[in-house]
Structure formats: C-alpha cells, structure tokens
Amino acid sequence: VGSDDYVVTMEAGFSAAEFANTLKASVAGKQGTELSIVGDKAVASNLSLGYYFVASSSGALCNLTTTNPNATIHDKNDVPFDKVGDKDSADVGETVNYTITGKVPDTTGFNTYTYEITDKMSDGLTFNKDIVVKIGDATLTAGNDYTVEYDVDGNANSFKVNIDVMKQTANIGKSITLTYSAIVNENAVAKIEKNSATLTYSNDPTKNTTTTTQPDEEKVYTSKIVLDKYKAGSEETKLAGATFVLYKEVKQDGGNISKLYYKYNDANQKVEWVADVKEATEKTTDDNGFASFDGLANGTYYLVETVAPAGYNLLDAPVKIDVSGGTTEAQLTTTAKVENNTGIELPSTGGIGTTIFYVLGGTLLLSAVVLLVTKRRMRRYH
C-alpha cells in the first residue's frame, strides 16, 4: 500500500482469515499496487520476504516468510458451476446424460466449508439415481468423500450432494465433476422438460454464511407427428380408417441406408425402432381423420399408408416429415396433412381378390373360344 503505515487492531484472537478480513476493511479505499496479468493469473514479482495482502472482491493473506518464497493465492470467490446435458431432443425411453462441473475451492481459514449441489427434474424425466463424483480423474467414495440424499422432500426426481472439499486441500483448483442420467418418459410427449441445479458454498471464513448460485437449467423435449387425413380437394372432408406406419432412414457402417420402423412398447412405455415392418406399430385415423406418432426426437421421418380409407386409393409413395422442435411446446407438434383420391384400388397380388380375377378372366377367355368355334361350325354348314 505504499510507504504509509497502518495500525490494524483486532478485538478477538488472531487467525489468518480474520486478520485478512479486518485488514481488508481497514485499507479500503487506499491506493495499492495493481498486479500484472499473465495468462489467467495476476502476478507480483521480486517482492521482499514478508506478509502481503492481496485484495479482489474477497481478501487473502499471503505469507512469504518461507525458504521457497513463491506462493499461489486461490481467490475464494472463484467458484465456477456449470451444468450440461448431452441432448436437447430425445425419443421417449431414451437416456439423457448430465454433467455438472465445478472446481475445488481454497478452504484456507475455514473451520467448516459447505459445498452442496442440489438438483430437481420435472415429471417427464425419470432419475436413474446413478451419481458419480470425481475430482480430476479420481472417483470419490460415497459416504467418505461425499454424501448423497435422494428423494429430497419426497420428490423421487431430486437429489442433494455434499462434497467434503476440506479433505481436498492437495487438489485446490482441480475440476469437480458430477455425472448422472435420466430417462425421458411418457409424460414428456410434446413438452419441454426442465432439469435445474444449484450450488451452495461457503463465502466467508469468519462467518457461517453461504452463497447459492442462480439455477443452471437444462431442457430436453420430445415431439409428435399428427396425421390430418382428408379427401383430395376437400380438406373439410376428413377420412377415417386410413392406417399408417412410420420409419426413419439410418446410414450403416458400410454406407448403406436401412429403414427402421417405429414401434411403441406399451409395457415399458418407450419408443423402439425395428427393422421388420411386421413389428411396426400401426396408427389408424379416427372419425376426425386424425392419428399420431408420439415421443419422437428431432429428425426426418416417412409415413407409409398400408390401408386406404374405403373407396379411396392407397398412397403410392411415402410422405416425408421433418420434425424439429423448438423453444415452445407449440413447436413440438408437427402436423402432416395427407390427402387421398377416390377410386377403385386393385387387390394386392396373391390375395383372394387376385384369384377371383383369375377365375373371371379364365371364364371370359373360355367363353370367347367356345363362341369362336361355334361361329366357324355355323359357317361350314352354310
């Protein structure tokens, strides 16, 4: 702080943390020396041995009376906290993986230190209760290095983790990572599901006070395709009884494209994708001409009509649908408008209808032959 001398008096007994806070209050507003910035660090060089006080938004006391006079001060306000998920959209039944990242704080001067992570998920996510905590590359031990409380306040989709960072003085500044996962369930159809986490940490070594970060929220959603089936040229004439399957195209390792068909597993409440169209879930339009395929991630899909409404022709090509959810729930429903033309659809090959045509055709041919022979005989006699 220059050449001026300051007298700092403490009423209580001495401790480094209390002295740093008292000194910070005493020299507030005084002109000091601004440290130079090297990379991501503030550096002061060529100092005489002694005690130095470094002030930022918080204070720290640096003791240089050692035989190795290089010292690193970890700013106690540098408590990062970030949460990310590995996907924004998903099929119902798909797993979303979450990672929370923090950093081991400097607990010098603290008698106790709170480092508590809480998380709560909405109803469209089913928490797998599979928390793993690491510092750097080392996995911590539950019950020893940290504690976990599941079902906080009776909510099965919530947890609270307390990490004993005072055991990690050798790892100050290293990353803390907490990973876990959840399954997107049937409650998430056409809804935006939220997963919100906070960190509560100690902020003053002389007082038993904490700071809680703003919630770090991640979102995930699942969409649906709604079929609107109507008569060609008359959209108000809705058509019931049209049956569809849905598929998507997937590129295989060799570069070939294969089709996977939508199958909804009612027992496990999840979307599955199968290679055999016979296993696909069929959806049939109701009296209002509507049917839907639910629980879809973003992507390109194809609707195939397998049964046409009575008196209408079967569609001769798949209907391509692009699903791309958005920031509002209204954007999570994609409507596919599909029209049908009236007409007579020939029976499929190999069916009983085909046999009838064969029989009728054969009968007509035989009749023509008999008629031709009869005419020739009549001509002979005349």
Side-chain angles (χ1 to χ4, degrees):
V1 292
S3 60
D4 296 331
D5 293 327
Y6 298 92
V7 176
V8 178
T9 303
M10 296 180 60
E11 296 181 357
F14 177 83
S15 77
E18 292 177 355
F19 179 62
N21 280 277
T22 303
L23 183 59
K24 179 181 179 181
S26 299
V27 301
K30 305 297 182 180
Q31 183 64 40
T33 299
E34 186 173 335
L35 303 184
S36 58
I37 304 298
V38 178
D40 60 352
K41 297 179 180 179
V43 178
S45 304
N46 301 319
L47 300 175
S48 301
L49 298 183
Y51 288 98
Y52 289 85
F53 176 74
V54 179
S56 59
S57 54
S58 66
L61 187 65
C62 181
N63 182 348
L64 296 183
T65 57
T66 64
T67 55
N68 182 9
N70 294 321
T72 299
I73 301 172
H74 300 275
D75 188 347
K76 292 180 176 60
N77 278 351
D78 181 19
V79 186
F81 183 72
D82 183 51
K83 175 182 177 180
V84 295
D86 67 348
K87 53 181 67 71
D88 295 323
S89 74
D91 290 339
V92 165
E94 195 171 354
T95 297
V96 184
N97 298 296
Y98 293 100
T99 301
I100 292 175
T101 305
K103 188 169 74 173
V104 178
D106 184 1
T107 59
T108 302
F110 286 87
N111 294 321
T112 61
Y113 195 100
T114 297
Y115 195 95
E116 180 181 273
I117 298 170
T118 60
D119 191 286
K120 183 178 179 181
M121 298 166 238
S122 53
D123 291 339
L125 293 169
T126 302
F127 179 32
N128 285 325
K129 298 184 179 180
D130 55 353
I131 289 173
V132 175
V133 182
K134 291 185 177 182
I135 290 183
D137 295 327
T139 301
L140 301 187
T141 303
N144 183 34
D145 302 313
Y146 69 93
T147 59
V148 182
E149 179 186 352
Y150 292 117
D151 305 332
V152 178
D153 298 325
N155 185 335
N157 270 355
S158 65
F159 67 81
K160 184 182 296 183
V161 174
N162 279 283
I163 303 174
D164 190 352
V165 292
M166 295 195 73
K167 289 184 177 181
Q168 304 297 331
T169 55
N171 294 316
I172 293 172
K174 285 189 176 182
S175 63
I176 296 174
T177 56
L178 188 153
T179 58
Y180 57 101
S181 66
I183 296 173
V184 180
N185 63 45
E186 67 276 9
N187 295 319
V189 174
K191 291 183 180 179
I192 296 175
E193 299 305 320
K194 300 175 182 179
N195 187 354
S196 181
T198 60
L199 170 67
T200 300
Y201 61 93
S202 297
N203 59 16
D204 192 329
T206 64
K207 302 175 183 177
N208 188 25
T209 56
T210 58
T211 297
T212 299
T213 62
Q214 291 295 316
D216 191 335
E217 186 175 78
E218 293 296 316
K219 298 178 181 179
V220 65
Y221 56 82
T222 178
S223 302
K224 68 178 179 178
I225 294 173
V226 173
L227 274 158
D228 181 7
K229 188 71 168 174
Y230 56 90
K231 178 182 178 181
S234 179
E235 189 171 339
E236 65 275 8
T237 304
K238 305 299 182 181
L239 301 178
T243 301
F244 287 83
V245 295
L246 182 75
Y247 74 85
K248 64 180 179 179
E249 294 182 337
V250 179
K251 182 178 290 187
Q252 303 297 334
D253 292 339
N256 295 325
I257 302 297
S258 63
K259 295 178 181 178
L260 293 179
Y261 292 89
Y262 174 98
K263 176 183 177 181
Y264 194 82
N265 186 323
D266 287 306
N268 296 323
Q269 297 288 299
K270 63 183 294 187
V271 172
E272 298 174 345
W273 294 95
V274 295
D276 189 350
V277 66
K278 295 179 182 178
E279 297 180 21
T281 296
E282 293 184 321
K283 295 296 185 79
T284 301
T285 55
D286 59 18
D287 290 340
N288 296 312
F290 290 109
S292 68
F293 289 88
D294 301 336
L296 299 170
N298 288 347
T300 299
Y301 300 92
Y302 299 86
L303 289 163
V304 177
E305 189 175 45
T306 57
V307 177
Y312 289 82
N313 291 331
L314 196 69
L315 295 182
D316 58 4
V319 179
K320 181 180 177 181
I321 305 294
D322 289 317
V323 174
S324 55
T327 57
T328 65
E329 292 187 352
Q331 297 171 312
L332 302 184
T333 298
T334 301
T335 300
K337 292 184 174 294
V338 183
E339 62 181 21
N340 270 81
N341 291 300
T342 57
I344 299 175
E345 186 71 23
L346 292 177
S348 59
T349 302
I352 183 64
T354 310
T355 303
I356 293 173
F357 276 105
Y358 289 158
V359 172
L360 290 176
T363 302
L364 291 174
L365 180 60
L366 180 60
S367 299
V369 170
V370 171
L371 180 62
L372 179 61
V373 171
T374 302
K375 284 183 176 181
R376 285 181 177 178
R377 287 181 177 176
M378 291 178 66
R379 286 174 184 169
R380 184 181 305 170
Y381 289 113
H382 287 80

